[in-house]
Amino acid sequence: MQINHQSIFPTIVSDLKLPAFSSIKDSLIQWIYNYQENTEGVNKSNRGGWQSPDDFWREESFKEFYDYISVGFSMWNTAYPEYSYSISNMWINVNKPGDYNTLHVHPLSKMSGCFYIKVPENSGSIIFECPSYYVNFNLHKSVNSELADQFNFYSSWCMDPCEGTMLFFPPHLQHEVETNQSNEDRITIAFNLD
């Protein structure tokens, strides 16, 4: 007897690599450090580290980098041609060694994401929690590993995006960033789309 399995109602997480990131990386990092030096941070999901105000991207001096990041939004949007988006907010995260981000969601937006700028080895993975784990607890605990692997049927999902990558995910998807165990800063720009 053969058992057939289908995956229905999946949660889609997308990632894409921006072109020619190395040509802009150093100047973007320098802009971020200059901005951090002159701007008081905020505390949201970050534990330690520095998080910028969420309107920094409107700075005239950031326009070159905003235009570059917008290429990623346009690339992502080709998969959702009927989706008309605008940026709701965007903020910088600088996680020093020992810093992390607690489990959280991004309410009141239609799509969320992150742009990875500086990601040293062991600087912290992003971990997504299964939104249906509670209601599917018994299935999660009893499914065989082959089926779990085939359908990504896990209680959580860990990703290690590389520098120059943009990640897009539904805003209701709970996520956290592990502790930065490297000796360098980990730098990202997170965003919400409406």
Side-chain angles (χ1 to χ4, degrees):
M1 176 174 77
Q2 180 177 345
I3 302 175
N4 296 311
H5 304 280
Q6 290 82 32
S7 176
I8 62 173
F9 313 124
T11 300
I12 298 175
V13 175
S14 309
D15 66 274
L16 58 89
K17 184 87 169 166
L18 266 66
F21 176 66
S22 61
S23 68
I24 202 166
K25 176 184 172 183
D26 291 341
S27 55
L28 175 56
I29 290 172
Q30 188 58 54
W31 189 95
I32 288 170
Y33 281 135
N34 289 341
Y35 185 77
Q36 179 185 11
E37 192 174 302
N38 297 299
T39 308
E40 187 174 340
V42 299
N43 288 312
K44 301 250 177 144
S45 70
N46 52 313
R47 296 299 176 261
W50 178 82
Q51 188 172 321
S52 75
D54 66 2
D55 61 352
F56 83 93
W57 55 281
R58 297 178 190 273
E59 297 280 334
E60 182 61 34
S61 61
F62 190 74
K63 184 177 182 338
E64 167 193 1
F65 306 113
Y66 175 80
D67 291 345
Y68 176 79
I69 292 169
S70 294
V71 170
F73 296 135
S74 296
M75 290 169 64
W76 170 81
N77 201 215
T78 61
Y80 303 88
E82 299 300 315
Y83 186 88
S84 177
Y85 73 87
S86 62
I87 295 171
S88 167
N89 55 354
M90 189 184 302
W91 61 97
I92 303 164
N93 296 296
V94 179
N95 280 9
K96 301 181 307 297
D99 299 339
Y100 62 97
N101 293 79
T102 60
L103 193 65
H104 64 285
V105 295
H106 295 201
L108 305 177
S109 58
K110 293 181 179 174
M111 184 60 70
S112 296
C114 194
F115 176 45
Y116 293 84
I117 299 165
K118 184 178 179 189
V119 187
E121 189 174 345
N122 298 318
S123 62
S125 302
I126 185 168
I127 300 174
F128 294 101
E129 298 293 325
C130 175
S132 63
Y133 181 67
Y134 177 77
V135 296
N136 285 323
F137 178 81
N138 289 328
L139 287 176
H140 278 282
K141 291 299 180 188
S142 60
V143 68
N144 68 50
S145 60
E146 182 181 319
L147 194 59
D149 291 344
Q150 181 181 355
F151 293 108
N152 295 329
F153 191 70
Y154 306 113
S155 59
S156 61
W157 182 259
C158 178
M159 293 184 74
D160 291 308
C162 57
E163 294 176 354
T165 298
M166 288 185 88
L167 184 65
F168 294 83
F169 53 89
H172 71 272
L173 203 55
Q174 290 191 89
H175 57 285
E176 62 186 327
V177 180
E178 294 177 317
T179 302
N180 181 354
Q181 296 183 16
S182 77
N183 295 318
E184 302 176 58
D185 291 347
R186 179 179 193 270
I187 303 175
T188 61
I189 294 177
F191 53 84
N192 290 317
L193 306 179
D194 280 342

